[in-house]
Amino acid sequence: MEIRIAITGASGFVGTNLRAFLNDERIHFTSITRRKTRRLKFEKNIVSDLGQKDLPGRLRGCAALVHLIGIGAQTKDADYQSVNVDLTKKAVSLCKKSGIKKIIYVSGLGVGNNTTFGYFLSKLKAEEEIKKSGLDYTILRASYVIGRDDPLTKNLRKQARSGSILIPGDGAYRLQPILVQDVAKVILACVTNKKLSKKTVDLVGPQTVSFARFARRFARNENVKIRKVSLQRAYFTALNRPDDAAFGLDDLNIMVGDFTGNHKRLERLCGFRLNSTGLLPL
Ligand SMILES: NC(=O)c1ccc[n+]([C@@H]2O[C@H](COP(=O)([O-])OP(=O)(O)OC[C@H]3O[C@@H](n4cnc5c(N)ncnc54)[C@H](OP(=O)(O)O)[C@@H]3O)[C@@H](O)[C@H]2O)c1
């Protein structure tokens, strides 16, 4: 199959794994990044911002754009509106100018019309920009995407190295992690499989696990202590002493939200089974 796929945010965790997967599958792709990255065999790299004048011409012929630019915490230089919403508007405009008919967007599991907090609201607005664009789309509402060096694993490993892992509240709230290799497979299916046209789908793995259980896997070494703190204390630290906080404000919002989804629907639409995350080596 001779297709070319464009990827924004290609230097991030999902982007890096997607590029490796597409390269292994011998699928041509064009990565758009802010900084230079090492080029893979089937890759064309473009260092550009999404508004650059010559970019549409350079993406002509791509079958789809996978829009992976996003942030999960705000700073004074990068807030949710300017990155998660405004750059999605630019991605939509880029598709139209370059004749790309399909956009694939990774949103968040739990995003919906009743959403109240900033990160989810920005994801919801980004979804709305895509839905009203007239482009074909697949919106993937992702739980934790895990693999080597995913942000949650890195965080828990770092805590383990410091001697203790923090569990905010009772830790009974659940996650439904999905392996990043499966995410890459799903994204490719979104490009090639019409069943995923104009759909919003949960991007979740086959198993749910409580946060406490997930975190304990990183404390196998008996010298690593599990420290439970009240949600009040965890939120207070995230708000007032963010540099000391094990989990940021929106990390907590997502974690304690206890969001789970429908992996069977994802499997049905994609036409393949997702891998068990229980086998993931730490
Ligand atoms: N990983 C998960 O578990 C998860 C779960 C739910 C949703 N998502 C969503 O999936 C997408 C990809 O996630 P990820 O884990 O790969 O995130 P990531 O590792 O943080 O990568 C984000 C990408 O966005 C780029 N980016 C950020 N701000 C930008 C800006 N102002 N201009 C241009 N590029 C910018 C980054 O570029 P630099 O490398 O130059 O910084 C990077 O390539 C994001 O939208 C995220 O919200 C991920």
Side-chain angles (χ1 to χ4, degrees):
M1 185 175 30
E2 261 306 310
I3 51 168
R4 177 174 284 280
I5 299 170
I7 311 168
T8 71
S11 56
F13 165 64
V14 175
T16 302
N17 283 279
L18 176 63
R19 288 162 57 218
F21 171 80
L22 293 176
N23 199 61
D24 288 349
E25 296 290 314
R26 309 169 79 84
I27 291 171
H28 293 270
F29 58 102
T30 301
S31 300
I32 307 153
T33 52
R34 296 194 271 194
R35 280 175 283 274
K36 210 163 180 276
T37 52
R38 197 173 62 85
R39 197 181 74 80
L40 302 176
K41 186 167 175 201
F42 290 88
E43 181 173 37
K44 189 164 102 185
N45 303 94
I46 302 178
V47 176
S48 171
D49 69 55
L50 300 191
Q52 202 163 296
K53 280 244 154 44
D54 65 343
L55 190 54
R58 298 173 79 185
L59 295 182
R60 218 154 272 290
C62 288
L65 176 82
V66 184
H67 179 49
L68 295 175
I69 291 177
I71 51 170
Q74 306 192 88
T75 64
K76 75 177 169 56
D77 299 320
D79 60 35
Y80 290 145
Q81 177 67 35
S82 63
V83 180
N84 293 354
V85 186
D86 294 346
L87 291 183
T88 300
K89 285 186 194 167
K90 282 196 176 168
V92 163
S93 154
L94 185 58
C95 286
K96 291 184 176 174
K97 286 182 188 157
S98 49
I100 297 176
K101 298 207 161 23
K102 168 117 199 194
I103 183 163
I104 295 145
Y105 180 60
V106 183
S107 181
L109 184 68
V111 170
N113 288 328
N114 296 328
T115 285
T116 54
F117 68 94
Y119 170 71
F120 271 16
L121 281 170
S122 69
K123 287 290 196 189
L124 183 66
K125 285 193 205 168
E127 288 186 2
E128 284 170 352
E129 289 298 329
I130 288 167
K131 284 183 185 160
K132 73 180 187 202
S133 67
L135 297 167
D136 189 5
Y137 66 84
T138 310
I139 291 168
L140 299 166
R141 288 183 171 162
S143 180
Y144 290 86
V145 181
I146 57 172
R148 190 133 64 88
D149 282 341
D150 67 84
L152 181 61
T153 295
K154 277 207 304 210
N155 182 344
L156 293 171
R157 276 210 189 108
K158 185 171 162 216
Q159 291 189 51
R161 278 197 303 275
S162 77
S164 65
I165 289 179
L166 205 71
I167 296 188
D170 63 7
Y173 40 84
R174 293 161 299 167
L175 5 159
Q176 197 166 346
I178 178 163
L179 291 175
V180 71
Q181 290 79 9
D182 276 345
V183 169
K185 244 175 113 176
V186 168
I187 288 174
L188 179 58
C190 293
V191 180
T192 57
N193 183 342
K194 280 279 161 236
K195 283 190 182 160
L196 285 146
S197 249
K198 299 216 166 171
K199 293 269 187 328
T200 301
V201 191
D202 297 340
L203 187 62
V204 293
Q207 295 135 326
T208 58
V209 59
S210 73
F211 180 77
R213 184 149 172 238
F214 187 81
R216 280 205 174 90
R217 301 178 70 231
F218 293 81
R220 280 194 187 139
N221 176 336
E222 60 200 50
N223 295 323
V224 179
K225 304 251 178 311
I226 292 290
R227 270 196 310 129
K228 287 204 169 174
V229 289
S230 68
L231 281 180
Q232 189 185 5
R233 163 81 24 209
Y235 269 99
F236 183 88
T237 311
L239 261 174
N240 298 297
R241 289 189 284 114
D243 291 345
D244 301 335
F247 302 103
L249 201 56
D250 286 333
D251 295 330
L252 289 167
N253 287 337
I254 294 169
M255 275 160 54
V256 305
D258 188 43
F259 299 116
T260 58
N262 185 347
H263 76 280
K264 291 264 183 233
R265 178 167 179 251
L266 179 64
E267 288 183 330
R268 218 171 28 249
L269 290 168
C270 289
F272 57 79
R273 299 288 295 270
L274 300 162
N275 286 298
S276 156
T277 45
L279 301 172
L280 187 77
L282 292 177

